[in-house]
Amino acid sequence: MITLKKQRTKEGKLIASVYNTHLYKKDIKNLLPKNLSKQDSIVVVKGLINSWAKQQLFLNKAEENISEISSLEIEKLVNDYKAGLYINGYKEKLIKQQLDTIVSESEVRSYYEKNKDNFRLNDELLQFDYLFFGNDHLDKDKIVKNFKSEKEEDKEDLEKHLLSFKSYRLQDTSWVTIDYLKRKIPPFRSELKEKLLKISKFIQKEDSLGVYLVAVKNILKKNETAPLSHVNIRIKQIILHKRKLELIREIEKTLINDAIQNKNFKEY
């Protein structure tokens, strides 16, 4: 039997006891915030000790007063939880080793084509071009003219001056929500949704920070089918989840068959 003196030597400095349960300095060492003054450390340590003591006292009273039936139920729950942790941990290890996580674009497109009805939009989406530059920009008129133009040479001329713009979004085919547009361009935050949901070659706004140019290129409305580019990541996650479930079923099937073959599983 280890004496209290030996316990102190083996476990470190003893700082509190409740019945036969002991709390050591090492148990709370990692719970203490760094760079505390000595006085603050004392306050924090006292709080941790009191919290630990209350938990131990409640646990002791609960164990004294709980019925045998309740105790057996708790023990079963603990054992089930422990078994679940072991099993799930082992499954995740096998999945990590065996799951093919590469999803090809052809798989994504095939799933999308077969399940288009599952990808209806909850919000409107837009494709838009955008420029933001300072009020003192020397080529303001030329920039506005080129931004409004559909000519390829004018678009190329704009791209030559990208470094002089505060921010921009040009020839970007990704789809975004109206909320995204409003967050990105402050003067449009008070703009009516209906106005932004119109294809427009040119919308100009100005404030003390500069000039904002926007062209709404395309619009998708609620309940229309979401474009593949917008749901690409979601589809990959769905495919991987399906693969994971199939792999688990295969693992379980192999486990059962091996146990039967090795006579480790018998039914009577």
Side-chain angles (χ1 to χ4, degrees), residues 130-152:
Y130 154 73
L131 272 184
F132 172 40
F133 55 90
N135 288 308
D136 56 352
H137 200 292
L138 296 176
D139 295 321
K140 176 179 176 181
D141 293 338
K142 185 180 179 182
I143 291 169
V144 172
K145 172 184 167 294
N146 287 345
F147 186 84
K148 291 168 70 176
S149 174
E150 294 296 326
K151 294 178 182 178
E152 192 61 35

Side-chain angles (χ1 to χ4, degrees), residues 213-226:
L213 307 179
V214 172
V216 178
K217 299 294 185 180
N218 292 299
I219 297 169
L220 286 173
K221 296 183 178 179
K222 278 185 181 180
N223 294 319
E224 287 191 63
T225 302

Side-chain angles (χ1 to χ4, degrees), residues 51-212:
S51 178
W52 173 83
K54 283 186 282 187
Q55 184 182 39
Q56 297 305 318
L57 289 167
F58 269 116
L59 179 60
N60 185 269
K61 288 297 180 184
E63 288 174 342
E64 284 179 359
N65 291 281
I66 201 162
S67 68
E68 186 179 343
I69 294 174
S70 295
S71 181
L72 290 172
E73 288 174 352
I74 290 170
E75 188 176 350
K76 182 180 181 303
L77 287 172
V78 169
N79 289 333
D80 288 347
Y81 181 66
K82 182 180 178 181
L85 288 176
Y86 275 110
I87 291 167
N88 290 332
Y90 181 61
K91 282 183 180 179
E92 288 302 320
K93 183 180 178 181
L94 291 176
I95 289 164
K96 191 174 182 180
Q97 291 172 345
Q98 301 179 32
L99 183 66
D100 179 8
T101 57
I102 297 172
V103 181
S104 68
E105 291 306 316
S106 61
E107 285 179 281
V108 173
R109 181 167 290 280
S110 175
Y111 187 91
Y112 174 75
E113 293 297 335
K114 291 176 183 175
N115 299 276
K116 276 188 174 180
D117 286 343
N118 296 332
F119 299 108
R120 299 289 179 182
L121 291 172
N122 295 321
D123 297 294
E124 296 88 351
L125 295 180
L126 307 171
Q127 286 177 329
F128 71 94
D129 283 351
Y130 154 73
L131 272 184
F132 172 40
F133 55 90
N135 288 308
D136 56 352
H137 200 292
L138 296 176
D139 295 321
K140 176 179 176 181
D141 293 338
K142 185 180 179 182
I143 291 169
V144 172
K145 172 184 167 294
N146 287 345
F147 186 84
K148 291 168 70 176
S149 174
E150 294 296 326
K151 294 178 182 178
E152 192 61 35
E153 57 266 30
D154 291 335
K155 298 295 181 187
E156 290 175 359
D157 189 62
L158 270 182
E159 292 183 358
K160 291 177 184 176
H161 297 85
L162 293 181
L163 292 177
S164 68
F165 303 142
K166 292 187 176 183
S167 64
Y168 58 86
R169 173 192 168 96
L170 296 172
Q171 301 187 58
D172 188 335
T173 58
S174 60
W175 293 89
V176 299
T177 62
I178 291 177
D179 285 342
Y180 173 88
L181 186 151
K182 288 185 172 185
R183 286 197 306 273
K184 190 166 184 66
I185 312 170
F188 283 82
R189 287 173 188 168
S190 59
E191 202 69 59
L192 290 174
K193 182 179 178 180
E194 290 72 21
K195 184 174 180 180
L196 295 175
L197 283 174
K198 291 179 182 177
I199 294 176
S200 171
K201 289 185 178 180
F202 181 67
I203 306 172
Q204 182 173 340
K205 293 277 186 180
E206 296 187 29
D207 62 15
S208 60
L209 299 175
V211 181
Y212 305 81

Side-chain angles (χ1 to χ4, degrees), residues 92 95 99-101 103 111 233-249:
E92 288 302 320
I95 289 164
L99 183 66
D100 179 8
T101 57
V103 181
Y111 187 91
I233 294 175
R234 182 176 156 199
I235 291 174
K236 284 183 178 179
Q237 290 172 339
I238 292 170
I239 292 172
L240 284 175
H241 182 65
K242 284 178 173 289
R243 281 186 194 173
K244 184 176 178 179
L245 293 178
E246 288 168 8
L247 179 58
I248 290 172
R249 281 195 288 269

